[in-house]
Amino acid sequence: MMAASAKQTNWFAVWVSVVVVAVLVVVTALVVWMNSAATDPGEPPQGSGINQETGAIVVGDGEQSLDEYIDFMCPICSQFEEVYGDAILDLVDDGTITLNIHPISILDRFSQGTEYSTRAANAMYCVAEADPDAAVPFMQALFAGQPAENTEGLSDDELLAVAEGVGVAGIDACVTEGEYTDYVTAMTQNTPVQPGNSGIATPTVEVNGEVIANSELPEPENLASLFD
């Protein structure tokens, strides 16, 4: 991509600003409900690719960190992955950052009762536990084939097929029994709030522990400037 000038419009940020108000109304109400019903997270997913304290799926080992909070039913998250995914992985590959992926569920109400956001996040943990190297390809595949809001989303069998497509099998019970459903719900409550927002939203990005408003994200070719 061509280098951006200082005045170049960040179209990802523009799109976010158009829809964020409506999303926040829904999310704020959801947070109130979630905070009123404490959830026992149960046993967290295991494995070298999962941070037991934060619930993040860890990719890379750079000294600096980028945390992203995503919902697999969130269309803005899909666009975020399309716009920034390669740039983020470049920073992982060159050793600049550790990427911490937080699969959360704030949009279950948009899947006609199937709780797709929660089921997809649970499946992400199942995959990461079985094979940490498959976590990012699984995430990419889910966003590439993202169902529209207000549909049932992918079935458990379809989630398992996506997992098999990235080389992970033998996680049927983990997915179909929702082994980490309560864990997803508990971790969702830990999502930070972006500056200027009244409730949690996705995607949310943290750079070295500091939450960055989506409107302040640089163009992808300039993403490394956040870590200078």
Side-chain angles (χ1 to χ4, degrees):
M1 184 179 292
M2 296 294 292
S5 67
K7 295 184 178 180
Q8 183 174 356
T9 301
N10 185 330
W11 291 110
F12 174 78
V14 170
W15 190 43
V16 167
S17 68
V18 171
V19 300
V20 71
V21 174
V23 172
L24 286 175
V25 170
V26 173
V27 172
T28 300
L30 179 63
V31 171
V32 171
W33 174 81
M34 289 172 65
N35 286 337
S36 68
T39 301
D40 179 0
E43 187 71 19
Q46 304 297 308
S48 60
I50 301 169
N51 185 314
Q52 297 295 297
E53 294 183 2
T54 67
I57 295 169
V58 180
V59 182
D61 57 4
E63 292 186 2
Q64 303 194 68
S65 64
L66 187 150
D67 289 62
E68 57 179 50
Y69 296 77
I70 57 172
D71 185 310
F72 285 112
M73 185 58 98
C74 163
I76 306 177
C77 295
S78 179
Q79 187 181 22
F80 177 84
E81 171 60 27
E82 181 179 354
V83 173
Y84 288 100
D86 288 345
I88 291 172
L89 291 180
D90 285 344
L91 293 173
V92 171
D93 292 340
D94 70 17
T96 299
I97 67 169
T98 295
L99 171 62
N100 299 304
I101 303 170
H102 302 259
I104 68 170
S105 59
I106 59 175
L107 298 178
D108 275 340
R109 64 182 296 166
F110 293 123
S111 56
Q112 299 187 10
T114 74
E115 298 187 339
Y116 176 69
S117 293
T118 295
R119 291 189 297 105
N122 172 77
M124 177 80 167
Y125 277 123
C126 297
V127 167
E129 182 176 53
D131 182 0
D133 291 338
V136 168
F138 182 74
M139 176 184 71
Q140 293 170 329
L142 286 190
F143 280 134
Q146 185 182 59
E149 289 183 315
N150 297 311
T151 68
E152 293 183 353
L154 302 182
S155 68
D156 288 345
D157 285 344
E158 288 170 325
L159 289 170
L160 288 168
V162 174
E164 290 180 3
V166 297
V168 176
I171 60 171
D172 297 42
C174 184
V175 171
T176 60
E177 296 177 11
E179 184 168 348
Y180 299 118
T181 294
D182 289 343
Y183 190 74
V184 169
T185 300
M187 292 302 101
T188 297
Q189 296 181 54
N190 295 333
T191 304
V193 176
Q194 293 180 36
N197 286 2
S198 59
I200 63 176
T202 54
T204 288
V205 176
E206 280 184 315
V207 172
N208 294 325
E210 178 182 355
V211 183
I212 305 296
N214 288 339
S215 60
E216 299 300 318
L217 288 171
E219 292 294 325
E221 63 268 23
N222 297 324
L223 193 64
S225 66
L226 294 175
F227 304 94
D228 289 343

